[in-house]
Amino acid sequence: MGTAFQQKDSFVDRSAVRRSVRLSWEIKTLLPVVLALLNGVLLFVVATTSFADPERHAILLVAVIGALVICFVLIVTLALVIRRPMLELEDKIGRVSEGDLTATVEFARRNDELGDLGRNFNLMVRQLRESREEIERLHRTQMSRAEHLATMGEVAAGLAHEIRNPLAGIAGVMDIVGRDLPSTSPAREVLKDVREEVLRINRIVTDLLETARPKPPEFQFADLNATVEHAVIFARQQALSKAIKVHCIKSPDLPMVEHDTAQIHQVLLNLVLNAMQALDGPGTVTVTVEVRGGLAFVDVKDTGPGIPPEILPNIFRPFFTTKGHGTGLGLSLAKRIVEDHGGKLEVSSKVGHGTTFSMILPISRGNAAAAVAD
């Protein structure tokens, strides 16, 4: 409210300054007429003193009276035709500036230039009113959705805790049973599969818990090159059994970047592992770190088959996955972490030419707006 009053006061002050330092349009319009009238009066005085013919005096007197009548008619016309609409427009603009978007001008009915001005003004106000109503509707929708998601998050977090405890018990029982089974027992293979499924369920529950109850980042200025390199080293361990090469190209000019090293490490590891899983066979994953325009860019590019255009808009949606063993929460969680850092996570892909995920981070939280607007 304070800002609105300040803006209104500023508008009034500017209007007052303009009125105090500039001539109004009425004076500018009447000034030539007044000057012409004064010139006519002067000529009449000169003529009456120079000529003794009474008929000429009468003609000049009629001319002066006619000029006065024309001036009077012009003043009345300006007052009715132009002055009144301008005062109405000024009043309605003041009401709009106070938030009243129902204000309209009556002279919009006129079939002249001022009528065009009035119709354009009414159209502008109607569009502003419709835009405000749409913003309010979207705000209500987003608030309702946020409340719904918050409730679902609490339920999911509670379920995650309840599920993890039995999982720990199942895993312990499997270990005990496995130790008691003979080494030649075929049940050992079944126990191995059960243990892998338990770990998979635990991973899904962990991702769900992190999504439902995100931990705020612990910011510190650290070497982003080192964070990226550590994530690549971890990912390479899983690429040893595959014909996949993982390259890391660091930036020598990158300053210290304010970020949560653990969370960004998690994001990058997820992106690199996803890139490796996207490769059907031998391929290359290249992680590049650059600094451009005061922002840090980390690109994860693979030589895989690419993502179809109809799937690309959905990849950041929670629980959306094209992998049979995926949870669909990894990219959603990664996007949220990057946005909590004031950055953006983008993707570009072309079928048959691979996919590139770009993580854009501000060097410091002070210029986070630049990363979002970039």
Side-chain angles (χ1 to χ4, degrees):
M1 290 296 291
T3 303
F5 281 121
Q6 290 174 0
Q7 292 176 347
K8 180 184 176 183
D9 292 342
S10 176
F11 173 78
V12 174
D13 292 342
R14 289 196 299 269
S15 300
V17 170
R18 286 196 295 266
R19 286 195 297 267
S20 64
V21 299
R22 297 197 302 181
L23 294 176
S24 64
W25 64 269
E26 298 97 328
I27 296 178
K28 291 180 179 179
T29 304
L30 293 176
L31 190 58
V33 178
V34 173
L35 292 177
L37 183 60
L38 291 176
N39 188 37
V41 172
L42 181 61
L43 288 175
F44 174 74
V45 173
V46 172
T48 53
T49 56
S50 302
F51 303 101
D53 190 352
E55 293 183 0
R56 291 189 176 183
H57 294 176
I59 294 173
L60 291 173
L61 180 61
V62 170
V64 171
I65 294 174
L68 289 174
V69 171
I70 292 173
C71 185
F72 176 77
V73 172
L74 182 59
I75 293 173
V76 173
T77 302
L78 290 175
L80 295 177
V81 177
I82 299 179
R83 172 75 175 167
R84 184 177 296 175
M86 291 299 101
L87 289 176
E88 182 185 2
L89 181 61
E90 183 178 2
D91 175 66
K92 297 303 172 62
I93 290 176
R95 288 174 56 184
V96 171
S97 66
E98 293 175 353
D100 181 9
L101 297 184
T102 62
T104 57
V105 293
E106 297 296 332
F107 62 87
R109 305 171 184 172
R110 293 172 46 167
N111 189 22
D112 55 10
E113 290 80 0
L114 284 175
D116 294 338
L117 175 63
R119 286 186 288 274
N120 290 332
F121 175 80
N122 291 345
L123 176 62
M124 179 192 69
V125 174
R126 186 173 72 251
Q127 291 175 342
L128 286 174
R129 183 173 63 253
E130 293 173 352
S131 299
R132 184 174 69 178
E133 292 172 353
E134 179 67 13
I135 291 173
E136 291 175 350
R137 185 188 66 81
L138 292 175
H139 177 69
R140 289 193 298 270
T141 302
Q142 291 296 327
M143 289 298 295
S144 176
R145 183 182 178 189
E147 292 176 359
H148 176 71
L149 291 176
T151 303
M152 293 300 297
E154 293 178 1
V155 173
L159 287 175
H161 281 298
E162 293 298 327
I163 293 173
R164 293 180 81 175
N165 292 332
L167 282 179
I170 294 172
V173 171
M174 290 299 101
D175 290 338
I176 295 173
V177 173
R179 287 197 300 266
D180 294 339
L181 285 175
S183 59
T184 58
S185 174
R188 281 188 171 273
E189 291 297 324
V190 177
L191 287 178
K192 181 181 177 182
D193 293 339
V194 172
R195 188 179 295 108
E196 289 180 354
E197 291 301 317
V198 168
L199 293 175
R200 178 170 175 267
I201 295 174
N202 186 68
R203 185 170 63 254
I204 294 173
V205 170
T206 300
D207 289 345
L208 181 62
L209 188 60
E210 290 181 353
T211 303
R213 290 185 177 176
K215 187 175 70 172
E218 297 179 0
F219 291 101
Q220 60 177 343
F221 281 97
D223 187 358
L224 184 61
N225 281 321
T227 304
V228 173
E229 188 175 27
H230 291 162
V232 170
I233 291 174
F234 271 88
R236 280 175 179 161
Q237 301 301 316
Q238 301 193 27
L240 295 177
S241 59
K242 304 177 182 179
I244 298 176
K245 296 182 179 180
V246 182
H247 301 298
C248 181
I249 304 175
K250 297 184 289 186
S251 171
D253 303 324
L254 183 67
M256 291 294 178
V257 177
E258 191 175 11
H259 67 288
D260 185 318
T261 55
Q263 290 191 359
I264 296 301
H265 178 277
Q266 177 184 353
V267 170
L268 291 170
L269 183 60
N270 183 279
L271 294 179
V272 176
L273 292 178
N274 283 351
M276 292 169 54
Q277 293 171 3
L279 300 173
D280 295 331
T284 303
V285 177
T286 304
V287 183
T288 307
V289 185
E290 294 180 327
V291 55
R292 299 196 300 267
L295 301 173
F297 289 77
V298 182
D299 294 336
V300 180
K301 183 178 182 180
D302 64 64
T303 57
I307 303 174
E310 63 272 13
I311 295 178
L312 198 61
N314 299 317
I315 61 173
F316 291 114
R317 287 174 50 194
F319 303 106
F320 179 85
T321 179
T322 58
K323 299 178 290 186
H325 58 281
T327 65
L329 292 172
L331 287 178
S332 174
L333 183 59
K335 187 172 186 292
R336 183 192 58 76
I337 290 174
V338 174
E339 290 177 348
D340 286 346
H341 280 69
K344 290 194 303 183
L345 184 60
E346 299 177 340
V347 59
S348 60
S349 184
K350 188 176 181 181
V351 176
H353 294 80
T355 302
T356 301
F357 281 88
S358 299
M359 181 177 66
I360 307 171
L361 292 177
I363 301 299
S364 65
R365 285 186 288 171
N367 60 349
V372 176
D374 182 52

